[in-house]
Every structure is written in C-alpha cells, then in structure tokens.
Amino acid sequence: MTDVIADGAPAGRHKGSLLAQDTRTKKRNAAEARFKIYGLFAICLGLLALVWLVTSIISNGAGAFQQTFVTLDVTLAEERLDKNGNRDPDDLRKVSTFGYAPLIAEAMEAKMTETGIAVEGLSAKDAAALVSKESPAQLRNFVLANPDQIGETVTFEFLAGGRIDGYLKGRVSMESAVRDSNVSPEQLMLTDAFVEAGVVEKRFNWLFLTAPDASGQRPEAAGLGVAIIGSFYMMLVVLVLALPIGVAASIYLEEFAPKNRVTDIIEVNISNLAAVPSIVFGILGLAIFINFAGLPQSAPIVGGLVLTLMTLPTIIIATRASLKSVPPSIREAALGVGASKMQTVFHHVLPLAAPGILTGTIIGLAQALGETAPLLLIGMVAFVREFPDGPPEGLFDPASALPVQVFNWTQRSDPAFVERASGAIIVLLIFLLIMNAVAIMLRRRFERRW
Amino acid sequence: MTDVKIAARDVQVYYGDNHAIRDVSVDIKDKTVTAFIGPSGCGKSTFLRCLNRMNDTIDICRVEGDIAIDGEDIYDKRVDPVQLRAKVGMVFQKPNPFPKSIYDNVAYGPKIHGLARNKAELDEIVERALRRGAIWDEVKDRLTEPGTGLSGGQQQRLCIARAVATEPEVLLMDEPCSALDPIATAQIEELIDELKQNYSVVIVTHSMQQAARVSQKTAFFHLGYLVEYGETGHIFTNPEDPRTESYITGRIG
Ligand SMILES: Nc1ncnc2c1ncn2[C@@H]1O[C@H](COP(=O)(O)OP(=O)(O)O)[C@@H](O)[C@H]1O
Ligand SMILES: [Mg+2]
C-alpha cells in the first residue's frame, strides 16, 4: 500500500524518518535562528544606546535640580536703605543693587565671627563673593516688597555662586581654583568650613523650574520659568489651531471630497509637507507672520503659528488613517437608517476614529514641543528675563522655549551651563513622557468603551 | 392588498464603463416578499441598492431609468436620499450594529428623524421595533449592553429591528443570512414571513431554497438582465426561460 503511494508521489517527497531532520529543514531552521539573532542584536544595540543616552543626560543634568544655598542673617540697616526714614517707595527704589551689596558683606562677616570660622588670607570682599551676584537683587526685591522690615534682621537663603556650587558638585576642585580667576582656594576652604557649620547647604532647587534665565556670569540663578511658559503657550496655540483645522481638513478630504486630480495633488502634497525640514517652516513663518503680518518677534503666538504649520500634516495624516480604518459597514449602517453624510461622520465615524486622532495629535504636539530650528529663525532665541503676561495678551510678549533654552545654554562658556542644559533636557523629556502617557491613557479609555 | 409599491422602468446602472444593470423593468408589490436570485456578480445587490439610492455613495456609479415608489420618482432632483432611506430600510449582508448599546442602536434612526417627542415615546418605539425584530425577549434585560456583543444571528435581528424602527414601508435585505448558521437563518426567515404583513420586503439571496421558502415573487437576474420575474412557485416549477431553468437545476451559477 505505502509503495503505491510513494510511487505516485512527486520526486523529492520526504521519505526519511520524521525523527531526523533532513538537510533542507536543517538549513531552514538555521536561517531562522540566524535571523532571530540579528533581530536580538539590533534591539540590544538600540537599548544600549538608549540607556547610555539616558544615563549620561541624567548624570549631567540631575545636578541642575540641586543648588547650593548660603544662609545669612542680614540686618537691613535703615541708614543705607532709607536715609529719610519715611519708607517712601520712590525713595526706596533709588537705592540700586550696589547699595545692597555691602549688607551682604556685613552679614557674611557677622556669620564668620558667629561661627568662629576664619580663613587666612581671605578678604571680607572675597568671603562675600561666596554668594551669587544675584543676591543683592534678591535682597532689594524683598525690601521693596516689605518696607516695614527695614531696620530688622532677617534670615535669607542666598544662592551660592556658580563656582561654589560647582565645588560641592565636584565640578571645581582646589587645583582648578588656583588657576581660576573667579574663585580662590581660600574661598573653597571657607566653603568647607561653612558646610560643616551648616551655613552652606545643597538642596532641591525649585528656582530651576520657576526662575527666568540669567546672564552668562550667573549660571546658578538661571532657570526655565520663561521657557516653560513659552513652550506651554505655543502648545496651546498649536492645539487650538492645528487640531480643529487638521481634523476638519481630514474629514473633508476623506469623507466629502470627490476623488479627482485636484484631491490627489492635495493628498500628495500633504504627505510631502510632513517631510519638509522644519527650518523651512521657520523661514516661511518669518516671511509671513513677522515680515508680512507684522507680529512681534520672539512671541509665542508666532512660534505657535509656525509649529501649527509644521504639525498640521502630521495630524492630517494620522486623522485620515484613523478615519480610513473605521469599517465601511458602519457608514453603510448609518446611511441605511437615513443618517445624512454629516450625521454619519459625526455620530459614528468620528467617535470610532477619536483614539487614533488623539494619539496623532499628541504625537504631533510632542514633535512640536521639541522643535528648535524654526524657533531660532523667528527670534525666540533672544535672552528673555521678563515673564510674559497671562494669555491671551501674553502670547504676544517675548518668551523663550524649552529646546531653544537648551540650545542657548550649550552656547555659553561657563561649564555650569552644561549642567543646566542637561537639566533642561530632562525637563523636556519628562514633558514628552507625560504627553505620551496621556496619549496612551486616552487611547485606552476611548477604546475600552466597547 | 397587492398594489404595486415600487415600479422600475428601463433601469440602467453603470460603474464607470461597466454596464452592471441593463434594461431592468419590474413591479414590486406591497406586503409581499420578493426574492432576487441569480449567479453572483449578476447585479442583484446593485439593483437592490438602487431602490434606496445607496448607490449614490459610490462615486463612479451612474443610474438611469425611472424608479418610482408609490408613483413618486425617487431619482427626482427634489428627493432627498436621506428622507428616502427612512422610508426604505435596509439590512446588510454582514450584521453591522453600531458599536453602541442595543437601545441606542435601535433608537438612533427614530432620533435623527424626530419620530419621538420624549423618552417614553422613544422607549416605546424601541420596544416595538425589537419585538418586530423578534429579539425583544432575548435583550430586554440588557438594553444598555453593546450591540456588538450579541451573537451573529441576534446582531442581524437587531439590525432588522433598527431598520424597522424608522417605520419604513419597504425593507431591503441583501443576503441577510449568508453570514449566519442554519438555526439563526431559520429564525430570520420566520421573521421575514411576519414582516411581510406590514412591509414590502425585497430580499437578495443566493440560496434558492430560501427564495422558495420565504418569497411570493421571484426575480431571476443574469449578467445584468432581469431574465424572468413571476410567482415564486411558478418560477421554480415551471421556468419559461432556459437560463432560469439552467440556474435552478444547478447548471449555471
Ligand atoms: N462598488 C462597485 N464598484 C465597481 N463595480 C461594482 C461595485 N459593486 C458591484 N460592482 C460590479 O457590478 C456588478 C454586479 O455586482 P453585484 O451587484 O454586487 O452582484 P451580486 O450582488 O449579484 O453578486 C459586478 O460586475 C461587480 O463587479
Ligand atoms: Mg451581492
């Protein structure tokens, strides 16, 4: 019986035992195993790069969230701050930050006497230089806000200077201080003693997130406040403009537009736009919004408009894909019970496409959040210390943006800004992570409905 | 009792250059089940979809000729297909409930056509429709559950209930049982038999047994032509056209 079947079978039919693999099978299995190894290797390589990137950013940037503070008791001497003694705000404002610097020097001397710390060869002026150059301004703002405190002794926490902070973070050493005109070994010795005494201390630094940028000489005072607000405003503009315009355009193209040459051309061009380098959008924005429409430079509204142009293709492509993925049977069902085209779209198609649209939008927003090049062209790279007003007027005030701030800080010479820039990258990445998490959450939530 | 509900005269349908329906003229009677049979690709669905202008949604589709329901030309410029489809309900080959609750599935049509003034009236309409769809007893305790969670046969009866909820006068069914098992099919066939008391039912089927069981009138389509149309019993026992005979005896199709 078996012979008969074997005779009639085509040549090459498997004749051997099932328990032993023939050469063809062996070859096939080997190829499969090799392919798996290649894949695994590629994934490991990717993971390794990611881990490396993340650890290097975190190890560089984590320091930005910690800052060294100096606690001093400052006597707000009336004869220096308010000679007339009448607390007239206009008179108080006449005393510049230079008028406040001696107060800090005095407080520093008092602190050294109080703790019994003395360092040979350290002048009072150098000792006072432990605190940031930002401190007199901090003191002045306090006095202008609380004139009734003049004459009292108030405890302040001043930012330590960038080099002192660097010393506590291991960036500055005794050896480097010898060669550094900005800091002397004596100052570092004083710092050591103050750390023992609890006067100088490293703590979590909210100012990094809330303070505006500072000049190149004061890295310790530089913060992301203006950049975060600027980025937030731009995202607001992008969301408010790109989502409705993108979804409306997609619905029209996908559901209503006739399929002809014109719509074909539009379709091709939208795909092409998504691939256009972002700096091109920056030039476009410069030409249209600033030179032609006369909107102010460095303003979040212009940044938002440029990023909207950039994000629209992404949103349109994602929206059209998710509209397409809604089964036609749903459309037929709705049309079959007499729904109009618009009712079909808004009652049935759009809700089913919503998770995809949302995900696409958030990914588009995340892309826009990290975009730098077009913002450089519209002047968002300017040094901005003033916080913009609340929306909507604030949209027209100058502001910075997170990625631009990173770019900006990497351009500065003081090595303390490397830490700042890495810290800003961490903040940016955290925002991106949050946005992606929200995208996933929304998606789950909408999809779980059925 | 058996007046003409739909009158079609010299209907031609083109998909681009493809002439899919040729010179079809037919009178479909009220309160009767009419079956469209024929080999696949002969244009049954195409012709059926002309009756509620579902073909309008296909860009390349062009319909010529006259189709009148109760004497009114449905391809007249003044006719809004949306209104027409409320009057001519449709059930599709694959059950396609909305991904919404059972209640919302049925209530959707009456809602958009403004058939209910308040919630109580809507409830009543939904219950009546579900009873007509012979599915009320199975779902009355779970109206808020998704319609997509029902079995295939239940889904199809839900779709029928959804179609009758808008109080149509004609019910078009395109192979409503082709995705169902024999038991569900039997239930639907029974339901069709009941529906003919209130509606003019037109059913496309690829099963001649089904046509014989449920219909009073049968139309045989072949290559876009309406070859033969008459009493179901007559067509199956005594076909006049040789093509009909070959199809019924299994030689074509
Ligand atoms: N949407 C469409 N676009 C183009 N041609 C179609 C379309 N639907 C049907 N046709 C063509 O029309 C003819 C009839 O199809 P159809 O009505 O679906 O046949 P049946 O339902 O009898 O199987 C076929 O030749 C088919 O290719
Ligand atoms: Mg068909």
Side-chain angles (χ1 to χ4, degrees), chain A residues 283-316:
Chain A
I283 293 179
L284 188 74
L286 181 66
I288 295 181
F289 300 124
I290 295 181
N291 294 343
F292 177 71
L295 289 169
Q297 288 200 4
S298 310
I301 182 80
V302 179
L305 286 169
V306 169
L307 294 179
T308 299
L309 290 181
M310 218 195 75
T311 316
L312 264 176
T314 313
I315 293 186
I316 291 179

Side-chain angles (χ1 to χ4, degrees), chain A residues 79-165:
Chain A
E79 66 271 17
R80 282 190 197 275
L81 306 181
D82 191 16
K83 294 200 181 73
N84 307 333
N86 54 12
R87 306 286 186 267
D88 179 7
D90 287 332
D91 283 348
L92 291 181
R93 219 163 280 136
K94 277 183 196 139
V95 182
S96 70
T97 48
F98 291 113
Y100 284 85
L103 296 182
I104 295 177
E106 282 162 19
M108 184 61 84
E109 268 194 85
K111 186 58 97 186
M112 286 168 75
T113 334
E114 179 198 325
T115 50
I117 295 170
V119 176
E120 216 172 300
L122 185 69
S123 69
K125 191 165 155 280
D126 283 350
L130 242 59
V131 299
S132 163
K133 295 190 182 71
E134 195 74 11
S135 306
Q138 184 190 348
L139 205 54
R140 180 168 182 265
N141 288 342
F142 174 84
V143 170
L144 292 182
N146 308 285
D148 52 308
Q149 294 282 324
I150 292 180
E152 310 281 322
T153 300
V154 185
T155 307
F156 282 93
E157 291 183 340
F158 294 117
L159 284 165
R163 291 296 194 280
I164 305 302
D165 182 53

